[in-house]
Structure formats: structure tokens, C-alpha cells
């Protein structure tokens, strides 16, 4: 067991982990931050995406020890300080960008990272960026629309209602 | 004007807030104090005889609580099948045992052989590696036609052959069918494969079970679409437990698409082991495990023949299908190629003579059961592909050929056992032609050609039968369950309402749409109504969610229960208003006496029901009603879809340029949710048509066992979809006039995609009749260059 310390959603946390403990398990099992989901074992689905030092990272593909000292953001830390949904979360609700909700935390975290690096992405850029995030429910239509809306673009004009 | 609340409004989903903030409660988020973890040792070969299993080393490994093998379950029932199909000679289907852990033989890659329960998952996994197996490998039975031959290796040694049943529907007189075909002016024949799929809800299956020694109660948390059904099957057929001692909870569930309907061995195992180990037991499937243990979908090999007269009227249809059931009968697998497939072969057309033949086969593959659409996509694919091929052979417009043969009079008795209550197939096709801008296709094709691409347009229609019912009929057809649903409307003293429903929401948005109905009926704000689902200890009973049935069946029960509540509330209001009950009207949450300005508010009446001081003596206090609803018939959503593709003639790469769906779902409660359901279905249908394939090699090894080699549709594989559901013929026999929309997209889209690809290739001067799904670049390229 090795001690690992990091900042998660602005709070300092630490815990004892095995060398093989994944960041996703550390978040879910040690910190009870179960909003980060695990949908595969080959780093393909993106349900587990979190931010590590501002970058979108698949937390199932990183050891907890590798995140030692890092600044980690998860879905639980995304809402506005008053608890209301942030712009991306609100756009997902407004545009029905989620159904079962299982892929949703990863989608929202990926969308946030995309908009940080590209504040007005085109439809094609969004679709390309989401290559590592699988959703089985929505057919992606409303996810792409929600991300366009969150970036201030009129998704209604581009996509059919 | 779109409505802003109640029936017909696109109310935003209230469940979204918890999902968007990481506050959902999925089964894997549940941890029970003291829980141990189970790891299943699964077969890595497709077929073999178990000679010995030595668990002694594993038992002494660190953290191990107990190791189980098939022997531990000898006195326990096997996994049951919920539908007995009778074959065409009147014999019941062959029904082999399906043990929780393998006994005697392993029959598919992934078949569980042993289970290790340990303090941690890592310890359970490590110990499983120490189990010594001696298994004699046997030849794997894979090809369905070969498996049907006399003398073929048997998947189940105790059965007479590998054929579960040889079933027929429609015209039983072969001579009559032969005569129709002999007299036909034209016959179109097509051999096709409906590719095997893996449902892959993004949440893998999970089960957590605990046993309370003091009360002798069990609780099972599981990723299920129908917790009551799981409880019933597990208690009555597998473990022999009294139902009232078992609570099954399906909390937030991350998608199902059919594959979470079924009762799985892992659920029964955890429940059994929780008592045997004296500790709660948790199992979380890895995705690789899901690929070899979730029931898979489709996998039909068919030959279909369509007979037309000299005027291009459809005069006869005959299909012969081999349907793969895999190694064991999963819960509803036997019903899929039969009553959910054969009955749909009339489609939207008035073909007078139809004969459907289905041989269902056991093979050494993962069991196959219902996946979104379940039988109806297979029927639609056959029919709409053969109609398209006929149009090409005859040189007629594929839309005109369809229109000419549409059923236009309702109710309509098909030759394959169904009665369609209502529909307007021409009206829906009219909507499609406009929504898809078919008039502009020629110009779009020219544009594509200027870029060096071939552009194709594919059209198809579909009909589906949803809300499977009524119970007395399905019972005659072999169902071992009723197919009603139930709801309890509990009105609280202050007027807010909890509705306990038997349907389960795992993405469908019931928590939003169902309150819209109840609030609308009473005239109160939607926020006053809340849905409770997914817990056998909280809801009256429920058959769950599948077959696009939730609103049509459970929603109808909810309407009936709400009607009872209103009827009783009117009695109370009449007493308060000193008027006759017959004169009481309910509108906008106010009870008033017709023709007067006397009224009393909803909240005053509900409070009176619980504080019955000034109260009618003959009425019981309280305000809570339950209704069970058994539909009179299926519902019949129908639609017409159009897909436009571009094919790169250099590489065979297909891209979907435009996809339009025109559906008739009857009345609609929440259009936003309905659109979302159609989008999701189309996404899966495009996945089946272009990308997805569950493949086994010649030894029965599963080749597509992870997202690395099973191609799931990604955001850049699909376009924005155009969805039109303004064609509405309300269902005639349920109180909401709704038909169901959950499966339509997955049923209607694969043939549209394939038809479009073939249209593109033929426009480029290639004569290509058919390409099997998935229509991959290599298959397209091969077809173009053959
Ligand atoms: S769980 Fe991390 S990518 Fe699937
Ligand atoms: S909303 Fe269910 S997987 Fe995306």
C-alpha cells in the first residue's frame, strides 16, 4: 500500500492504495465519488472521463499513483457554486442530451475539455472529439446539439428539432 | 403552439439533474456493509466435457470466503424459460436444463464453471486462477444448417437433436403456397443474414445480494428492466424462496435495450451465496464479461420469396429462417423468432397468403434473446429488402410499389395472427416524402457525383407490434407469464401524489412523462406528481419495461387508477359542496358544481380524505387506488424511413448523409422524449447496418469480445436525424391512444441503410442484389469489384 494525495474538486484528499489501483477505483471506492462511471475494461467508452490538471483523462486508464499531487475534477464538482447546473449541464438537460445517464458524466467532462480548447466547435469537430465517448442511448444527436448550444451556437438551426 | 405542461408538452426531464451532477444511484454505486466479491471462472472453450474441477488450492488462497461449483447447485433449479413454443407438429419445444454453474459440460465461451467469493475482487480473481480444470474439448456446433443435420454433434446430449423447435405460422397447406408461387407473374427471392449483435448498454450488469439472518429476508440489487419478474422467476423456479421474503431493487439502470429483461445466473448466484457465505455478495461485470454473458441479439439466416401478379400486387410470401438461440434458452428467447417475428411478416402490406417457417437452433454460442425490436427488426429486414429487390427487378419505383400494396382498411386481419387496429401508411409515407425532401434527391446525387461519390436513397416501411398482450391470448401461445401491468396512485393529504408503477425507467424518462399524464388529468402542476419504480417492496406488481410497452400498458394502468381516484374525490367534493356527485366537474385542480360558481380545490378534497370530519359516511377515508391493466390487443406503431448514403467507389466506405424517420406513434405525451427514443433506435440500427457484428471463429471463440473489436457506433459515424411524428392514428383500445416508440428506430433503420447502399452501387452501374450486414467497406468493395 502506498499513500496517494491529490486535490479532487478543490478538496485535498489522500488514501492508501495498491500499485494497481486505478484512478477510477480510487474515486469511486475510496472517495465514494460514484458519478465517475466504468463502462469498459479497454479504455474505449469514456464513461470514466475526469479532468487531471485541466486535461480530459480516462480515469480507468491511469493509476491512482500517477495522479499523486494532481488537481482532479469530477462530475460532482461541475455544478455552479450555488448548486445550479453549469452551462454544459444545463444544455444537456435543455436539449435532452441524456437518457439513461450512464455515459453522461464522461460526456459532460469531455465536452468541458473540448470547449476549453475550442470555444465554438463545428458539428464535425464535436463528433470527432467525442470519438472516445460511447453513448448507446441517444444516437448522439442531442449530445452534439447540447454541446453546440453550450458553446452559444444555435443548434436548432443546424439540427432538426 | 407547443404546450408547456401536461400531455403533449416537451417537459424537461427531472431525472436529468441527478444524472448530470453525478448523483445517480446505479447498482455498482451500491455497497453493502461487509460485502464480499464474486469472480466467475468462465469457460474459455466453446464446448467441452468437464472431467474434474479441483478447487482445493483456490480455497486456501488469501481472502477466499468460499468457492462454488456446479455441485453446490445440484439441488437448485436452473434458469427458466418464460415461453413454451409448440412446434408445427404439435410437440412442445425441446427445453434443456440451464444450470447456474456448469454441470457436466460447458457449452459456450463464457459459460460459468466456478465462482470464487473473497474479501476483495482482486483476491477472488487471483484464487480463480488457482482452480484446476480438466475439460475435454468437444467439436463446437456453430453453423445452424449443419447443426440441424442428422448425426450432428449435440449441444445437449439429452436432446434428440439441436433443433429447439420447427415452427410454422400462416398458411399450413404447402400445396396452396406452391400454387400461388407457380401462378405468380414474378417471384423475387433473397437469401439474407441478420447479423448477431451485442446490446451493450453502457452500464455493465451488476448484482448485489444480502441476506438478513434475523428476519430471513433477502435483498437483491440488480441491473434489471423488470425487478418483479426477476423476483418471481428466481423465487419460483430457481431458488425456491418465498416471494415475500425477497426484495428485488433495480435502481438507476444504465440502459437495457432488452438485454436486462432476463433473469441471469449471476443474480441467482449472488442471492444464494449471500446466505451460504453469511455475507453480502457483489458481482460487477467487466465489459469483456458482458460480451460473453449478456444475452445477445438477432442472428437469423433466412430465405424469403415474394410472389407478385402481373400488376405487381403481392400475392404470396414465404420465408424460411434458421434462428440461433445459442447454447441455452434465455428467459424469452423462444418467443423472439416466433411470435415476435413470424407475426410481423405481413408488414404494411395486404399480401393474402403468407407462410413463415422457423427452425430454432442450439449452438455453442452465448444465448440469444430479445434486443431492441426483438424479432421485428428481423421480420422488417427480410420483408423490406425483398420488396426493394422486387422493385429493382421489375424496374418500378420502390415507393410506388409499396404504396400500391399498402393495407388501407382497418381493422385488418393479417394472415399471420394479428389484427391491426389502425394506421395510415400512405399518410405516413406522404410525411416522409416531404420531411426527407425526396424531390431534392436527384440534385443531391448530382452534387455527390461531382465529388466522385455514389449517392443512394433507401426507403423502407415498418410495422411493429408493441405492448404485447392480452394475457389470455399470449397464454394460449405459450407465454408462461401475464402481460398486464399495474400502478398505484397514492394521493397524500396535502394533494401531492406518488405513483407506484410496474414499468421501469432506464433512460425512457418515465419520471417526467408519467407525471405529465396524471397532472393533466387532475389539472395540477407536474411537480406535484412523482413516480416510484424499480423496487418490489414499494410497487404493487409490475411486468417491467420492454417491447415499447411502458406507456401503452403501465401508463394505461396509471390512467385507470387515476380515474378511480378522481371518482372517489368527486364523491368527497360532492359532499363538501352539498351537491350531487353527477354534477361535479374537475378542471384545473378545482371541483365545481356544473352551472354554478361553487367549487372546492383539489388540496381541500385530498385533505378531507385524510381528515374526514365533514365526510360522506359511505366513503372510506384515504385516497389511494390501484389498477391492473391487461390490454385488449397489441398496439401497432408504423412508419416510413429514408436514408441517403454516399459510397466512395475507391474504398467502399459508406457515410450516412441524411436520415429521415416518419413515424405514427398515435398520441404523444412528451415529443422531446419521443424524438430521443427514435434517435437512439436509429443510432443502433445504423450500427447494425454498417458496423456491428458479433463474430465467432470456427472453434466457437468469440472474436468480438471487447470494444476494440466490436464496432459500436460513435458520434462521427452518424448524422443528425430528421424525425417527424405528425402522422398520428391513435391506438383504438388504450385510454391514452398511445402506441409506443422505443424500438421503432432500431426496427426501421437497417433496411433503409442497406437499400440506400445498393441504390448507390446500382446508380454507379454495378448490378448488386444484396450485401449482408454489417455493410463494411470491404464487403462493399468486394461487391463492386466482383
Ligand atoms: S471505463 Fe474508462 S474508457 Fe471505459
Ligand atoms: S445516455 Fe445512456 S449511454 Fe448515453
Amino acid at each position: 500500500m502506498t499513500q496517494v494525495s491529490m486535490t479532487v474538486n478543490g478538496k485535498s484528499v489522500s488514501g492508501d492504495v495498491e500499485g494497481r489501483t486505478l484512478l477510477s477505483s480510487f474515486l469511486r471506492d475510496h472517495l465514494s465519488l460514484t458519478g465517475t462511471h466504468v463502462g469498459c475494461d479497454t479504455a474505449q467508452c469514456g464513461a470514466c472521463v475526469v479532468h487531471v490538471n485541466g486535461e480530459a483523462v480516462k480515469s480507468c486508464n491511469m493509476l491512482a499513483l500517477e495522479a499523486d499531487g494532481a488537481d482532479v475534477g469530477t462530475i460532482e464538482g461541475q455544478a455552479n457554486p450555488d448548486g445550479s447546473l453549469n452551462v454544459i449541464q444545463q444544455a444537456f438537460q435543455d436539449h435532452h442530451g441524456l437518457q439513461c445517464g450512464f455515459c453522461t458524466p464522461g460526456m459532460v467532462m469531455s465536452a468541458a475539455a473540448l470547449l476549453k480548447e475550442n470555444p465554438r466547435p463545428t458539428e464535425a469537430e464535436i463528433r470527432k472529439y467525442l470519438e472516445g465517448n460511447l453513448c448507446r442511448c441517444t444516437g448522439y444527436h442531442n449530445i452534439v446539439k447540447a454541446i453546440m448550444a453550450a458553446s452559444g451556437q444555435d443548434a436548432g438551426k443546424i439540427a432538426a428539432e | 403552439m407547443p404546450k408547456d405542461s401536461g400531455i403533449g408538452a416537451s417537459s424537461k426531464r427531472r431525472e436529468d439533474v441527478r444524472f448530470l451532477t453525478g448523483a445517480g444511484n446505479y447498482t455498482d454505486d451500491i455497497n453493502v456493509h461487509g460485502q464480499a466479491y464474486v469472480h466467475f471462472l468462465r469457460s474459455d472453450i466453446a464446448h467441452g466435457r468437464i472431467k474434474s474441477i479441483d478447487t482445493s488450492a483456490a480455497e486456501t488462497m488469501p481472502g477466499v470466503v468460499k468457492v462454488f461449483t456446479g455441485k453446490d447447485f445440484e439441488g437448485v433449479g436452473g434458469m427458466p424459460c418464460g415461453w413454451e413454443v409448440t412446434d408445427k407438429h404439435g410437440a412442445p419445444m425441446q427445453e434443456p436444463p440451464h444450470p447456474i454453474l456448469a454441470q457436466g459440460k460447458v457449452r459456450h465461451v463464457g459459460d460459468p464453471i466456478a465462482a470464487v467469493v473473497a474479501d476483495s475482487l482482486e483476491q477472488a480473481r487471483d484464487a480463480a486462477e488457482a482452480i484446476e480444470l480438466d475439460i475435454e474439448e468437444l467439436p463446437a456446433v456453430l453453423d445452424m444448417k449443419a447443426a440441424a443435420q442428422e448425426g450432428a454433434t449435440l449441444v445437449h446430449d439429452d436432446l434428440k437433436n439441436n433443433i429447439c423447435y420447427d415452427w410454422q405460422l400462416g398458411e399450413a397447406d404447402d400445396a396452396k403456397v406452391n400454387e400461388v408461387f407457380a401462378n405468380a407473374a414474378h417471384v423475387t427471392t433473397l437469401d439474407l443474414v441478420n447479423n448477431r449483435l451485442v446490446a451493450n448498454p453502457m452500464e455493465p450488469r451488476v448484482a448485489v445480494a444480502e441476506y438478513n439472518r434475523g428476519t430471513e429476508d433477502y435483498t437483491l440489487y440488480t441491473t434489471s428492466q423488470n425487478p418483479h419478474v426477476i423476483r418471481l422467476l428466481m423465487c419460483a423456479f430457481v431458488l425456491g424462496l418465498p416471494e415475500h421474503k425477497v426484495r428485488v431493487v433495480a435502481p438507476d439502470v444504465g440502459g437495457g435495450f432488452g438485454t436486462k429483461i432476463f433473469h441471469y445466473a449471476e443474480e441467482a448466484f449472488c442471492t444464494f451465496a449471500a446466505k451460504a457465505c453469511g455475507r453480502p455478495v457483489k458481482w460487477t461485470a467487466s465489459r469483456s464479461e458482458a460480451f460473453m454473458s449478456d444475452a445477445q441479439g438477432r442472428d437469423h439466416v433466412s430465405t424469403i420469396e415474394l410472389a407478385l401478379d402481373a400488376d405487381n400486387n403481392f400475392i404470396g410470401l414465404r420465408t424460411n429462417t434458421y434462428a440461433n438461440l445459442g447454447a441455452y434458452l434465455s428467459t424469452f428467447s423462444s418467443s423472439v423468432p416466433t411470435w415476435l417475428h413470424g407475426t410481423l411478416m405481413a408488414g404494411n402490406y395486404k399480401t393474402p397468403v403468407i407462410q413463415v417457417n422457423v427452425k430454432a437452433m442450439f449452438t455453442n454460442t452465448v444465448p440469444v434473446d430479445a434486443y431492441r425490436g426483438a424479432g421485428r427488426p428481423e421480420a422488417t429486414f427480410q420483408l423490406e429488402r425483398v420488396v426493394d429487390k422486387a422493385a429493382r427487378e421489375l424496374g418500378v419505383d420502390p415507393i410506388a410499389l409499396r404504396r400500391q400494396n399498402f393495407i388501407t382498411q382497418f381493422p385488418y386481419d393479417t394472415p399471420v395472427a394479428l389484427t391491426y387496429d389502425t394506421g395510415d401508411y400512405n399518410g405516413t409515407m406522404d410525411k416522409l416524402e416531404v420531411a426527407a425532401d425526396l424531390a431534392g434527391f436527384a440534385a443531391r446525387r448530382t452534387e455527390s457525383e461531382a465529388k466522385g461519390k455514389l449517392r443512394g436513397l433507401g426507403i423502407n416501411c415498418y410495422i411493429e407490434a408493441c405492448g404485447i398482450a392480452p394475457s389470455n391470448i399470449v397464454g394460449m401461445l405459450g407465454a408462461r407469464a401475464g402481460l398486464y401491468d399495474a400502478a398505484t396512485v397514492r394521493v397524500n393529504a396535502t394533494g401531492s401524489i406518488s405513483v407506484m408503477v410496474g414499468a421501469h425507467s432506464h433512460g425512457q424518462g418515465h419520471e417526467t412523462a408519467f407525471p405529465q399524464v396524471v397532472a393533466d388529468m387532475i389539472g395540477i402542476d407536474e411537480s406535484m406528481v412523482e413516480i416510484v419504480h424499480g423496487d418490489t417492496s414499494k410497487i404493487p406488481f409490475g411486468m417491467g419495461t420492454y417491447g415499447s410497452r411502458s406507456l401503452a400498458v403501465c401508463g394505461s394502468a396509471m390512467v385507470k387508477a387515476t380515474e378511480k381516484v378522481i371518482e372517489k374525490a368527486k364523491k368527497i367534493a360532492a359532499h363538501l359542496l352539498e351537491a350531487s356527485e353527477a354534477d361535479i366537474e374537475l378542471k384545473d385542480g378545482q371541483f365545481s358544481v356544473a352551472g354554478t360558481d361553487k367549487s372546492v380545490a383539489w388540496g381541500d378534497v385530498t385533505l378531507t380524505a385524510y381528515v374526514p370530519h365533514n365526510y360522506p359516511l359511505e366513503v372510506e377515508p384515504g385516497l389511494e387506488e390501484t389498477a391492473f391493466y391487461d390490454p385488449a390487443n397489441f398496439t401497432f406503431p408504423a412508419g416510413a424511413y429514408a436514408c441517403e448514403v454516399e459510397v466512395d467507389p475507391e474504398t467502399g466506405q459508406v457515410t450516412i448523409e441524411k436520415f429521415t424517420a416518419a413515424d405514427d406513434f398515435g398520441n404523444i405525451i412528451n415529443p422531446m422524449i419521443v424524438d430521443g427514443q427514435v434517435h437512439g433506435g436509429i443510432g443502433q440500427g445504423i450500427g447494425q447496418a454498417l458496423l456491428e457484428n458479433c463474430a465467432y471463429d470456427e472453434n466457437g471463440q468469440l472474436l468480438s469480445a471487447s470494444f476494440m473489436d466490436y464496432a459500436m457506433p460513435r458520434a462521427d459515424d452518424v448524422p443528425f436525424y430528421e424525425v417527424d411524428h405528425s402522422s398520428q392514428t391513435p391506438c383504438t383500445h388504450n385510454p391514452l391512444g398511445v402506441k409506443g416508440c422505443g424500438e421503432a428506430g432500431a426496427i426501421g433503420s437497417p433496411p433503409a441503410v442497406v437499400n440506400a447502399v445498393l441504390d448507390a452501387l446500382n446508380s454507379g452501374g454495378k448490378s448488386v442484389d444484396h450485401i449482408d450486414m454489417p455493410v463494411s467497406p470491404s464487403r462493399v468493395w468486394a461487391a463492386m469489384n466482383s
Side-chain angles (χ1 to χ4, degrees):
Chain A
M1 290 284 188
T2 315
Q3 216 207 19
V4 61
S5 305
M6 60 188 86
T7 308
V8 178
N9 300 329
K11 271 194 241 142
S12 316
V13 298
S14 58
D16 291 325
V17 297
E18 286 185 58
R20 61 181 165 179
T21 303
L22 300 169
L23 178 58
S24 52
S25 335
F26 182 67
L27 294 169
R28 289 183 55 80
D29 303 336
H30 293 245
L31 305 180
S32 296
L33 293 171
T34 53
T36 297
H37 295 156
V38 175
C40 73
D41 45 11
T42 51
Q44 298 270 306
C45 77
C48 63
V49 170
V50 299
H51 297 162
V52 176
N53 298 328
E55 304 267 317
V57 161
K58 289 180 170 167
S59 63
C60 74
N61 204 24
M62 183 177 195
L63 297 172
L65 289 175
E66 292 178 281
D68 194 35
D71 184 13
V72 176
T74 73
I75 189 70
E76 286 89 347
Q78 290 294 298
N80 295 324
D82 67 355
S84 60
L85 298 180
N86 74 14
V87 173
I88 296 171
Q89 291 168 319
Q90 189 61 56
F92 269 71
Q93 187 188 30
D94 291 348
H95 295 276
H96 189 27
L98 62 152
Q99 291 183 23
C100 78
F102 197 80
C103 72
T104 308
M107 288 288 179
V108 169
M109 299 308 280
S110 286
L114 165 64
L115 296 186
K116 202 170 109 188
E117 74 186 46
N118 181 357
R120 281 179 80 80
T122 62
E123 179 202 338
E125 286 169 340
I126 295 172
R127 291 187 185 276
K128 185 96 197 106
Y129 190 87
L130 292 183
E131 215 173 36
N133 288 81
L134 293 176
C135 173
R136 194 55 151 167
C137 295
T138 63
Y140 302 101
H141 182 110
N142 285 338
I143 292 177
V144 177
K145 234 173 109 174
I147 297 174
M148 299 197 92
S151 68
Q153 305 181 70
D154 185 349
K157 276 209 191 115
I158 301 143
E161 271 306 309
Chain B
M1 268 297 283
K3 291 178 69 179
D4 57 10
S5 72
I7 292 174
S10 284
S11 299
K12 287 181 199 168
R13 299 201 329 166
R14 54 178 83 182
E15 48 270 72
D16 288 356
V17 177
R18 69 175 188 272
F19 297 146
L20 282 162
T21 54
N25 182 36
Y26 298 87
T27 311
D28 194 41
D29 303 342
I30 294 171
N31 292 300
V32 185
H33 182 69
Q35 75 193 11
Y37 298 80
V38 58
H39 176 76
F40 291 95
L41 177 65
R42 297 178 183 275
S43 178
D44 58 6
I45 59 168
H47 195 192
R49 197 172 310 285
I50 302 173
K51 296 172 90 175
S52 69
I53 306 175
D54 182 355
T55 60
S56 52
E59 276 157 28
T60 62
M61 300 272 290
V64 171
V65 177
K66 198 166 163 47
V67 181
F68 295 82
T69 65
K71 270 202 169 36
D72 296 287
F73 291 89
E74 270 167 3
V76 171
M79 308 311 295
C81 179
W83 200 300
E84 182 178 275
V85 169
T86 303
D87 83 0
K88 66 179 179 188
H89 309 294
M93 66 185 188
Q94 298 201 82
E95 203 171 348
H98 183 184
I100 293 177
L101 295 177
Q103 292 182 6
K105 259 178 142 186
V106 289
R107 295 186 177 86
H108 65 86
V109 168
D111 207 357
I113 300 168
V116 182
V117 178
D119 290 338
S120 76
L121 184 56
E122 290 75 17
Q123 288 169 332
R125 275 197 200 127
D126 291 346
E129 281 182 23
I131 295 176
E132 291 199 21
L133 296 175
D134 182 5
I135 299 183
E136 174 199 349
E137 192 162 354
L138 301 170
V141 179
L142 296 163
D143 179 83
M144 289 194 278
K145 289 181 185 171
Q149 300 301 316
E150 194 104 3
T153 303
L154 292 177
V155 177
H156 295 275
D157 301 350
D158 296 341
L159 302 188
K160 55 182 195 278
N161 52 33
N162 292 314
I163 305 172
C164 178
Y165 51 75
D166 183 1
W167 181 84
Q168 189 176 70
L169 184 67
E171 182 53 61
D173 183 349
D174 290 345
K176 200 163 157 196
V177 181
N178 289 336
E179 192 188 319
V180 170
F181 277 84
N183 293 334
H186 184 84
V187 174
T188 296
T189 303
L190 185 58
D191 292 319
L192 34 74
V193 173
N194 204 290
N195 42 331
R196 184 185 279 238
L197 303 177
V198 181
N200 275 323
M202 292 317 301
E203 176 201 34
R205 287 188 298 118
V206 181
V208 190
E210 57 179 327
Y211 175 70
N212 182 320
R213 258 190 318 130
T215 60
E216 301 181 341
D217 288 330
Y218 296 81
T219 303
L220 170 68
Y221 301 92
T222 181
T223 46
S224 173
Q225 301 177 211
N226 31 226
H228 267 106
V229 175
I230 302 305
R231 186 179 72 166
L232 176 61
L233 295 176
M234 185 172 76
C235 289
F237 300 102
V238 188
L239 299 181
L241 300 173
E243 263 177 289
H244 65 285
K245 299 305 261 177
V246 179
R247 173 184 173 209
V248 177
V249 183
D252 287 329
V253 172
F257 315 114
T259 205
K260 290 176 183 166
I261 297 172
F262 322 121
H263 179 34
Y264 284 98
E266 295 89 353
E267 295 169 320
F269 175 85
C270 289
T271 307
F272 180 88
K275 183 176 181 191
C277 298
R279 285 176 68 174
V281 174
K282 180 170 186 170
W283 172 70
T284 302
S286 65
R287 180 61 60 185
S288 324
E289 211 173 0
F291 271 101
M292 54 177 130
S293 67
D294 289 4
Q296 302 180 341
R298 317 278 192 258
D299 205 349
H300 286 192
V301 174
S302 302
T303 300
I304 182 164
E305 302 157 274
L306 175 66
L308 300 96
D309 69 12
D311 298 323
N312 297 340
N313 297 310
F314 301 166
I315 54 170
L317 186 76
R318 175 164 54 199
T319 83
N320 280 285
T321 290
Y322 286 85
N324 204 334
L325 296 176
Y328 302 100
L329 287 168
S330 171
T331 313
F332 288 112
S333 57
S334 51
S335 66
V336 175
T338 50
W339 299 107
L340 296 175
H341 163 255
T343 49
L344 273 300
M345 286 309 316
N348 309 56
Y349 312 109
K350 49 185 190 240
T351 317
V353 177
I354 300 178
Q355 186 186 68
V356 182
N357 299 288
V358 178
K359 279 195 179 71
M361 304 304 305
F362 291 113
T363 60
N364 290 117
T365 60
V366 174
V368 177
D369 205 324
Y371 164 56
R372 201 172 196 165
R376 290 153 289 173
E378 295 90 320
T380 305
F381 188 70
Q382 287 192 62
L383 186 57
E384 293 296 319
R385 284 288 304 111
V386 82
V387 168
D388 227 62
K389 187 174 180 220
R392 184 163 299 119
E393 287 172 353
L394 295 164
V396 299
D397 174 52
I399 296 182
L401 180 63
R402 288 178 167 89
R403 283 186 183 269
Q404 171 184 349
N405 285 285
F406 276 162
I407 296 159
T408 52
Q409 304 286 322
F410 296 89
Y412 176 79
D413 290 324
T414 73
V416 277
L418 296 179
T419 302
Y420 301 167
D421 63 336
T422 181
D424 177 6
Y425 307 146
N426 277 304
T428 310
M429 185 62 90
D430 293 344
K431 298 281 184 190
L432 179 77
E433 293 201 19
V434 175
D437 180 28
L438 295 189
F441 173 72
R444 293 191 291 275
R445 173 173 271 173
T446 308
E447 269 175 43
S448 297
E449 284 169 354
K451 293 187 292 179
K453 300 281 171 67
L454 301 172
R455 193 172 187 110
L457 169 65
I459 300 287
N460 74 285
C461 299
Y462 75 86
I463 175 126
E464 57 164 328
C466 298
I468 180 168
S471 295
N472 60 348
I473 303 283
V474 295
M476 276 165 20
L477 302 181
R480 290 165 169 162
L483 286 161
Y484 50 85
D485 222 305
T488 295
V489 174
R490 176 176 299 159
V491 184
N492 301 308
T494 53
S496 68
I497 299 173
S498 304
V499 189
M500 279 60 79
V501 293
H504 185 277
S505 187
H506 35 278
Q508 297 86 346
H510 298 170
E511 292 175 30
T512 300
F514 280 25
Q516 289 179 244
V517 173
V518 176
D520 198 281
M521 289 175 72
I522 299 171
I524 54 176
D525 198 81
E526 286 169 25
S527 63
M528 300 261 292
V529 186
E530 185 152 286
I531 296 301
V532 179
H533 65 100
D535 185 341
T536 59
S537 71
K538 292 185 180 163
I539 56 181
F541 194 79
M543 296 306 295
T545 290
Y546 43 83
S548 308
R549 71 194 299 273
S550 296
L551 196 57
V553 186
C554 188
S556 298
M558 181 177 72
V559 168
K560 298 268 178 205
T562 306
E563 283 169 353
K564 289 194 207 174
V565 160
I566 292 173
E567 198 184 303
K568 181 169 174 186
K570 279 186 175 173
K571 287 196 171 75
I572 303 169
H575 180 86
L576 292 175
L577 294 166
E578 295 175 340
S580 143
E581 195 190 321
D583 294 335
I584 302 295
E585 291 171 349
L586 171 61
K587 194 165 177 270
D588 297 335
Q590 292 284 327
F591 294 92
S592 55
V593 183
T596 74
D597 58 359
K598 287 207 304 184
S599 73
V600 57
W602 168 253
D604 292 324
V605 171
T606 62
L607 188 64
T608 306
Y610 288 92
V611 187
H613 296 164
N614 176 15
Y615 201 74
L617 279 178
E618 70 284 4
V619 178
E620 285 177 17
L623 198 50
E624 170 170 329
E625 298 288 348
T626 295
F628 282 66
Y629 177 78
D630 200 340
N633 190 358
F634 290 85
T635 64
F636 297 98
Y641 285 15
C643 175
E644 287 181 32
V645 298
E646 270 187 1
V647 179
D648 183 338
E650 304 291 317
T651 62
Q653 182 70 41
V654 176
T655 53
I656 310 262
E657 296 299 314
K658 194 169 161 61
F659 200 103
T660 312
D663 299 285
D664 174 359
F665 295 134
N667 294 334
I668 284 175
I669 306 301
N670 184 317
M672 175 193 81
I673 290 177
V674 169
D675 284 356
Q677 290 294 307
V678 177
H679 296 159
I682 296 172
Q684 292 182 1
I686 292 175
Q688 166 162 34
L690 292 186
L691 301 162
E692 298 178 40
N693 193 33
C694 178
Y696 292 86
D697 75 5
E698 67 281 3
N699 299 316
Q701 282 301 328
L702 183 57
L703 297 174
S704 47
S706 79
F707 288 147
M708 313 267 257
D709 20 54
Y710 184 90
M712 293 276 280
R714 292 168 191 268
D716 60 359
D717 294 317
V718 294
F720 281 128
Y721 321 104
E722 189 86 36
V723 175
D724 182 310
H725 36 66
S726 59
S727 177
Q728 296 182 358
T729 58
C731 169
T732 56
H733 55 80
N734 66 41
L736 291 167
V738 297
K739 295 183 174 181
C741 65
E743 295 162 294
I747 295 170
S749 51
V753 176
V754 178
N755 289 346
V757 173
L758 295 170
D759 184 54
L761 299 189
N762 283 281
S763 81
K766 305 284 174 193
S767 173
V768 182
D769 273 348
H770 181 66
I771 302 178
D772 275 324
M773 300 186 291
V775 181
S776 59
S778 60
R779 284 182 175 172
V780 173
W781 197 88
M784 280 192 297
N785 292 285
S786 65

